[in-house]
């Protein structure tokens, strides 16, 4: 099992990005982006997704593949490799919780963390550095090419954290599950009355056909 609490990028053959990849400004991408240091994996991914040809990446010291489309279907073999936590600070003094109770260190685990109950309040406190922000990590295999190995997705998105929490709550811990990673467009009205749209990643139970899930060896 890959330890998603450790360095998932180093443990996996590649990473999936909803925002600009390593070494770039964190802005939404027009499509999913996959990075890997292995040229053969990059080529296989491009063929599996019928995406653009792999391009070299100076920032990641490897290759980038633009996948196209807003949904990537993945297989999560065990949810022990899914991390969904809230973090403020670094080192031994870091605040690490699930929004309700501390997750670590051991002496504090399960104790109330004191975070705000309302999501809007949590976001406000995180923006000012007074409260923790999401730290999500998901290790998976690509449903279209599981033989390529394990990939990872890292996100600090509040929307992704909420969707992953719902997904974990509805999933049997011991069973593999097919998940759709979706680039979802959300809209909001600013205080000045202007409508703005933005793209966020979310995780949802896959809409794969029954026979496709059976072919992957997964319970439906």
């Amino acid at each position: 099992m890959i330890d998603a609490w450790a360095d998932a990028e180093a443990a996996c053959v590649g990473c999936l990005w909803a925002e600009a990849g390593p070494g770039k400004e964190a802005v939404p991408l027009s499509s999913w982006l996959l990075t890997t240091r292995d040229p053969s994996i990059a080529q296989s991914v491009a063929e599996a997704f019928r995406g653009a040809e792999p391009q070299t990446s100076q920032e990641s010291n490897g290759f980038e593949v633009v996948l196209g489309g807003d949904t990537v279907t993945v297989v999560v073999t065990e949810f022990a490799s899914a991390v969904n936590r809230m973090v403020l600070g670094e080192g031994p003094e870091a605040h690490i919780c699930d929004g309700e109770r501390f997750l670590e260190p051991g002496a504090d685990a399960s104790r109330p963390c004191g975070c705000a109950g309302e999501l809007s309040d949590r976001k406000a406190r995180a923006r000012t550095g007074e409260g923790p922000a999401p730290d999500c990590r998901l290790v998976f295999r690509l449903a279209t090419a599981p033989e390529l190995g394990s990939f990872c997705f890292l996100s600090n998105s509040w929307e992704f954290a909420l969707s992953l929490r719902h997904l974990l709550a509805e999933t049997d811990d011991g069973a593999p599950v097919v998940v759709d990673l979706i680039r979802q467009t959300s809209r909001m009205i600013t205080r000045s009355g202007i409508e703005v749209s933005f793209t966020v990643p979310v995780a949802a139970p896959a809409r794969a056909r029954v026979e496709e899930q059976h072919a992957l060896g997964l319970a439906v």
Side-chain angles (χ1 to χ4, degrees):
M1 181 187 74
I2 291 177
D3 184 3
W5 293 93
D7 188 350
E9 292 183 72
C12 295
V13 298
C15 285
L16 186 66
W17 303 89
E19 295 182 322
K24 300 179 181 178
E25 184 180 354
V27 295
L29 298 168
S30 59
S31 177
W32 286 105
L33 177 73
L34 187 141
T35 59
T36 178
R37 289 191 173 92
D38 190 322
S40 64
I41 289 178
Q43 187 61 47
S44 296
V45 168
E47 294 172 359
F49 284 86
R50 299 178 183 177
E53 283 296 306
Q55 302 293 319
T56 57
S57 170
Q58 298 296 327
E59 290 82 5
S60 65
N61 192 29
F63 302 87
E64 297 180 350
V65 182
V66 177
L67 302 186
D70 288 328
T71 301
V72 176
T73 303
V74 304
V75 181
V76 180
T77 56
E78 49 189 338
F79 266 100
S81 290
V83 173
N84 192 11
R85 61 184 187 174
M86 307 283 292
V87 178
L88 173 64
E90 299 179 351
E93 302 301 321
H95 174 122
I96 302 175
C97 70
D98 63 3
E100 296 178 357
R101 296 183 179 277
F102 284 108
L103 296 175
E104 57 178 275
D108 290 330
S110 298
R111 288 177 49 202
C113 60
C115 286
E118 295 294 329
L119 182 60
S120 59
D121 293 334
R122 291 183 187 179
K123 289 183 177 181
R125 290 179 62 83
R127 281 195 297 269
T128 61
E130 299 176 281
D135 174 24
C136 306
R137 310 175 199 181
L138 189 64
V139 176
F140 57 84
R141 291 177 181 264
L142 298 170
T144 55
E147 71 282 357
L148 295 180
S150 294
F151 294 81
C152 67
F153 175 61
L154 286 70
S155 177
N156 301 118
S157 163
W158 290 91
E159 289 79 8
F160 186 78
L162 184 60
S163 68
L164 186 58
R165 172 174 290 191
H166 289 164
L167 188 65
L168 291 171
E170 298 172 359
T171 301
D172 182 350
D173 289 343
V177 61
V178 185
V179 175
D180 279 342
L181 298 179
I182 306 167
R183 294 175 65 256
Q184 186 177 83
T185 300
S186 297
R187 292 176 173 81
M188 64 175 291
I189 305 296
T190 66
R191 292 181 179 179
S192 58
I194 300 175
E195 181 179 271
V196 295
S197 62
F198 51 96
T199 302
V200 296
V202 297
R207 296 181 179 179
R209 293 175 300 177
V210 171
E211 59 267 29
E212 291 174 337
Q213 294 196 21
H214 277 307
L216 290 168
L218 300 169
V220 178

